Amino acid sequence: MNLRAIGEFGLIEQLQKKIKTKNKEVIYGIGDDCAVILKDKKTYQIITTDMLAEDIHFSQKYFSPYQIGYKSVAVNFSDISSMGGIPKYILVSIGLNKNISLKFVDELFKGIKHLCNKFGVDIIGGDTISSKKMVINIVCIGEVKKENLILRSGAKVGDIILVTGYLGNSRCGLEILKKSKIKNQKSKTLIKSHLAPAVRIKEVQEILKACKVNSMIDISDGLSGDILKLAKASKVGVRIYKDKIPISKECKKFCKENNLNYMDIALSGGEDYELVFTVEKKNLEKYKKLPFKITEIGEIINKKEGYLIVENDKTMPLVDKSFNHFSSLP
Ligand code: ADP
Ligand code: MG
């Protein structure tokens, strides 16, 4: 059997079954957005790593070196935010073609440092190799107060499902960037969502102040797949309402003009790096007071009821159409 057949997450599942941790300070290893390590009485250290490869995650045709640096940090900070934590340190590993200019590397690190400075994060190391195509891998070490730790596995039956921001913008941005013929369209919001996704660290701290969050995951591959990961980790079912999914007017307009289905884009587009999370129903009013966009999109149901999506009172199975490294790419 090859990797295409089991897909990225099938492989991760197999690795997870075969890998057991030995050190007692490892609270969680493989399976969540970050690994969780006991730091002291009040704190956990949380560690994540995310890699971006040229012509898979970005193209130098439309990403500047600054933007590659920025996004490589943003995607790692996103995993830290989804555990309720704040980033502290990063290590930067780069594979670069020998013909790349020093100016390129300088710009790359400007992008990295920009986001690190914004969140008070130190660059503490990395690795450098030669590579035909560019690859950049960041390890991010963060911290979370024990009482703030949010796992994918904490969703409870009866919880409401909420999501930050809008879904689908990043994918529309990518489509615009890929097709130079429509590049000049007024679509700054969409392009920016793809090149420099928002980092929701501060928002999560605000959410945590408002009340207890039972579970959370960041949307890197697409809502349909990422909510299923949360549901499976929590051993619960989900019901999502299509008409509640937050889709920006820019995304709708772009999709209409380009014959794309904006609902499919929002459900499976990926790389929005928004957060989907669950809270007890009684807390809904507390979230409505927060000064940034949060939308209720569904509820956690019993596992036996399954994974469902509702459109015009018609209930259908929620199918995972989100990005998968070994199955989605040609
Ligand atoms: P995310 O999209 O949040 O970055 P992934 O889907 O990449 O998370 O990974 C899911 C889980 O599997 C994480 O806990 C991650 O650390 C783990 N994981 C992914 N790839 C590997 C690997 N090659 N070896 C060990 N663990 C892995
Ligand atoms: Mg993640």
Side-chain angles (χ1 to χ4, degrees):
M1 199 194 291
N2 63 14
L3 295 180
R4 186 187 286 270
I6 59 166
E8 177 190 353
F9 303 107
L11 175 64
I12 292 175
E13 235 170 75
Q14 287 198 4
L15 292 173
Q16 195 174 7
K17 278 183 198 147
K18 287 179 197 158
I19 295 170
K20 297 273 172 272
T21 56
K22 295 171 215 60
N23 292 293
K24 66 178 187 320
E25 67 277 16
V26 179
I27 309 296
Y28 295 100
I30 299 172
D32 216 307
D33 291 300
C34 299
V36 182
I37 312 289
L38 184 65
K39 183 171 184 251
D40 56 44
K41 267 189 184 164
K42 292 183 175 167
T43 331
Y44 292 122
Q45 195 162 56
I46 48 177
I47 308 175
T48 186
T49 182
D50 251 309
M51 178 155 49
L52 303 187
E54 183 173 2
D55 296 335
I56 303 283
H57 298 94
F58 65 88
S59 164
Q60 288 196 43
K61 285 186 196 135
Y62 47 78
F63 267 81
S64 70
Y66 182 97
Q67 287 161 339
I68 298 169
Y70 185 101
K71 187 162 177 176
S72 64
V73 176
V75 300
N76 279 274
F77 285 6
S78 177
D79 277 330
I80 297 283
S81 73
S82 74
M83 307 288 286
I86 51 164
K88 300 284 283 185
Y89 322 101
I90 62 164
L91 293 104
V92 182
S93 297
I94 41 180
L96 297 172
N97 187 292
K98 57 180 178 251
N99 297 316
I100 272 180
S101 68
L102 282 176
K103 173 114 187 10
F104 182 102
V105 181
D106 204 40
E107 284 296 310
L108 178 76
F109 272 84
K110 270 190 195 158
I112 292 172
K113 281 184 195 160
H114 179 99
L115 213 43
C116 286
N117 290 340
K118 187 170 171 191
F119 291 100
V121 170
D122 287 321
I123 302 169
I124 56 163
D127 196 17
T128 305
I129 59 161
S130 76
S131 171
K132 274 190 186 145
K133 286 198 181 189
M134 184 181 167
V135 51
I136 175 161
N137 178 68
I138 300 224
V139 172
C140 183
I141 300 162
E143 275 177 20
V144 58
K145 282 189 206 149
K146 278 187 178 178
E147 70 266 23
N148 281 352
L149 179 72
I150 316 170
L151 300 173
R152 291 179 182 181
S153 56
K156 307 265 182 302
V157 175
D159 278 3
I160 50 171
I161 303 171
L162 300 148
V163 67
T164 59
Y166 293 100
L167 301 181
N169 281 5
S170 173
R171 179 55 182 272
C172 293
L174 174 63
E175 294 299 322
I176 296 166
L177 292 163
K178 280 198 299 194
K179 293 176 193 157
S180 50
K181 63 178 192 297
I182 47 173
K183 217 176 190 169
N184 296 326
Q185 192 173 316
K186 282 186 191 161
S187 319
K188 276 196 190 137
T189 317
L190 302 176
I191 291 174
K192 186 164 180 258
S193 300
H194 188 72
L195 296 176
V199 176
R200 301 289 182 208
I201 307 245
K202 290 193 174 128
E203 286 84 346
V204 175
Q205 295 308 308
E206 293 283 309
I207 291 169
L208 281 164
K209 269 187 226 154
C211 89
K212 187 170 171 5
V213 178
N214 282 346
S215 66
M216 187 180 270
I217 186 170
D218 68 326
I219 304 178
S220 50
D221 301 315
L223 175 68
S224 60
D226 289 324
I227 190 71
L228 287 177
K229 281 179 211 147
L230 182 145
K232 284 173 187 167
S234 299
K235 301 188 171 64
V236 294
V238 289
R239 187 185 291 115
I240 301 286
Y241 298 92
K242 261 195 185 178
D243 62 351
K244 291 188 178 179
I245 295 173
I247 303 175
S248 70
K249 57 181 190 308
E250 292 90 349
C251 171
K252 285 184 180 166
K253 183 170 177 278
F254 173 79
C255 288
K256 273 182 197 148
E257 285 168 3
N258 292 278
N259 251 336
L260 295 165
N261 181 322
Y262 60 75
M263 196 50 77
D264 285 351
I265 297 264
L267 278 166
S268 64
E271 292 206 284
D272 284 308
Y273 295 99
E274 294 296 349
L275 299 163
V276 59
F277 60 104
T278 78
V279 301
E280 273 183 53
K281 206 174 190 135
K282 65 172 192 212
N283 292 318
L284 181 61
E285 289 309 310
K286 294 183 184 164
Y287 290 94
K288 287 194 177 147
K289 289 184 197 133
L290 289 171
F292 45 89
K293 188 169 176 65
I294 295 181
T295 312
E296 186 190 349
I297 58 164
E299 63 240 356
I300 297 293
I301 54 177
N302 208 294
K303 193 179 172 195
K304 276 188 278 181
E305 294 178 75
Y307 313 118
L308 309 171
I309 187 151
V310 181
E311 184 177 20
N312 302 330
D313 295 332
K314 214 174 127 206
T315 302
M316 289 160 289
L318 174 65
V319 181
D320 176 5
K321 289 188 192 153
S322 55
F323 186 77
N324 183 309
H325 270 281
F326 302 121
S327 314
S328 300
L329 293 170

